[in-house]
Amino acid sequence: MTQHNVIKLFEAKKVRTIWDDKAEKWYFSIVDVVAVLTDSIDATAYWRKLKQRLKAEGSETVTNCHGLKMMAADGKMRLTDVADTQQLLRLIQSIPSPKAEPFKLWMAQVAAERIDQMQDPELSIQQALRDYKRLGYSDNWINQRLKSIEIRKDLTDEWKRHGLQEGVQFATLTDIIYQTWSDMTAKEYKHFKGLKKENLRDNMTNKELVLNMLAELSTKEISESKNPGTFQEHKDVAKAGGEIARNARMELEAKTGRDVISPLNAKTGIALSPSHENEDKE
């Protein structure tokens, strides 16, 4: 398992984190977070007592937390209790501290908004628009991205119609589509763009989005036509859909002399201003 050790700042205090390439998760030092939120003189002792109390309550979160080696204050690598994002947010709920209260309020707000969105899906679209705008994406890119969401949903609905399961089967077929048209799996594509937990499609240029939409749309149309019965047949359909986009990509690259696949991501400016869109077209 390849891991990258980094340090994140949290209100001027350091919280040690580890990125797990295999699991594609951030892990946070629980003791560091406890120290930030409680100002405890002995954060280790505080965490020990909190862990005992949560275990007594039957908390599975504590049971599922595990240890990873992190650099300690003395410069040595020592085993440290860590939590992923979901586990950490759950633990914060059990910390009685004024500094933890804003997080608890935020989590309650997010949960309430999510419940509203489940009852009225249009709210999810409106929220997506606001989020993309806030992040600085251009109107042109946002329109393409929302269309790609619609096409992706059509494809996954087609897979569900055939009884395929979200998770491993969806991920396998998606990887086949990516690898066929871009020559990279989803993980390789994200690595190429310097991404970790970020959504790959949110970091595609307009050209990449269009070709990925073509691949997924083609896969859905071929599936409807051929009506595959086995998972292997679905894999063949995914490859066929990806090949249509690959052919379009190869022809475009031959005509323009420029690569379609770009290392640019949202942070390096794929859509932060109209000028970047113009650069992408040149």
Side-chain angles (χ1 to χ4, degrees):
M1 176 174 66
T2 302
Q3 295 176 335
H4 304 288
N5 289 274
V6 297
I7 292 180
K8 288 187 175 295
L9 294 177
F10 186 86
E11 291 187 354
K13 294 190 178 181
K14 293 177 179 178
V15 174
R16 289 168 294 168
T17 67
I18 286 180
W19 170 254
D20 186 334
D21 285 336
K22 186 175 181 181
E24 294 191 330
K25 285 184 176 182
W26 283 109
Y27 286 100
F28 304 82
S29 165
I30 298 174
V31 170
D32 290 354
V33 174
V34 167
V36 170
L37 294 180
T38 66
D39 288 328
S40 173
I41 297 175
D42 189 344
T44 301
Y46 189 105
W47 166 232
R48 190 183 305 117
K49 291 181 180 179
L50 177 61
K51 183 162 49 173
Q52 291 173 349
R53 176 166 64 82
L54 291 174
K55 281 185 177 179
E57 294 173 358
S59 172
E60 293 186 4
T61 299
V62 175
T63 304
N64 293 332
C65 288
H66 61 284
L68 291 174
K69 284 191 174 181
M70 290 181 159
M71 187 169 293
D74 60 5
K76 295 182 180 180
M77 299 297 291
R78 299 186 183 280
L79 199 63
T80 305
D81 284 345
V82 298
D84 62 24
T85 303
Q86 181 175 341
Q87 292 167 338
L88 187 65
L89 292 175
R90 171 61 189 90
L91 292 175
I92 289 174
Q93 294 177 50
S94 296
I95 296 177
S97 165
K99 288 189 175 182
E101 188 61 21
F103 288 91
K104 298 175 185 179
L105 292 173
W106 172 75
M107 285 185 277
Q109 178 184 348
V110 170
E113 290 174 352
R114 181 56 187 146
I115 291 173
D116 289 342
Q117 290 167 6
M118 291 172 65
Q119 296 172 339
D120 183 0
E122 186 177 338
L123 294 175
S124 297
I125 298 174
Q126 294 172 356
Q127 184 63 54
L129 280 168
R130 288 193 295 270
D131 289 342
Y132 285 132
K133 281 283 190 182
R134 176 176 51 80
L135 292 170
Y137 287 99
S138 69
D139 290 340
N140 183 31
W141 186 93
I142 292 172
N143 289 335
Q144 295 278 25
R145 182 68 180 96
L146 292 180
K147 186 64 179 176
S148 75
I149 292 173
E150 178 186 342
I151 289 174
R152 174 68 181 180
K153 185 178 185 305
D154 288 344
L155 175 58
T156 56
D157 284 347
E158 170 67 9
W159 286 342
K160 290 176 183 177
R161 185 176 70 85
H162 285 273
L164 299 184
Q165 300 297 315
E166 294 185 58
V168 175
Q169 289 188 323
F170 278 26
T172 298
L173 296 177
T174 300
D175 258 356
I176 291 172
I177 294 172
Y178 276 132
Q179 192 159 28
T180 302
W181 83 260
S182 72
D183 294 324
M184 289 180 283
T185 64
K187 183 173 286 189
E188 291 168 344
Y189 207 156
K190 291 177 73 171
H191 181 74
F192 176 70
K193 284 183 171 287
L195 307 175
K196 288 184 170 65
K197 192 67 175 176
E198 301 92 335
N199 185 292
L200 177 56
R201 294 176 184 84
D202 283 349
N203 290 273
M204 287 184 174
T205 64
N206 277 330
K207 286 184 289 191
E208 291 172 300
L209 274 176
V210 168
L211 285 174
N212 194 63
M213 283 191 282
L214 176 60
E216 294 192 328
L217 175 64
S218 300
T219 300
K220 190 264 295 184
E221 294 288 331
I222 295 171
S223 178
E224 289 178 342
S225 174
K226 292 188 174 294
N227 198 32
T230 66
F231 189 59
Q232 180 58 51
E233 289 174 343
H234 279 286
K235 290 164 70 173
D236 294 339
V237 168
K239 185 174 182 180
E243 285 174 347
I244 292 173
R246 176 180 172 80
N247 292 337
R249 171 195 152 205
M250 299 300 289
E251 186 173 353
L252 179 59
E253 290 179 340
K255 293 287 178 65
T256 63
R258 293 192 292 269
D259 291 336
V260 167
I261 309 298
S262 169
L264 289 177
N265 59 46
K267 291 182 179 178
T268 55
I270 61 169
L272 297 181
S273 70
S275 62
H276 287 103
E277 287 186 356
N278 293 331
E279 290 171 8
D280 188 47
K281 293 175 184 176
E282 291 175 359

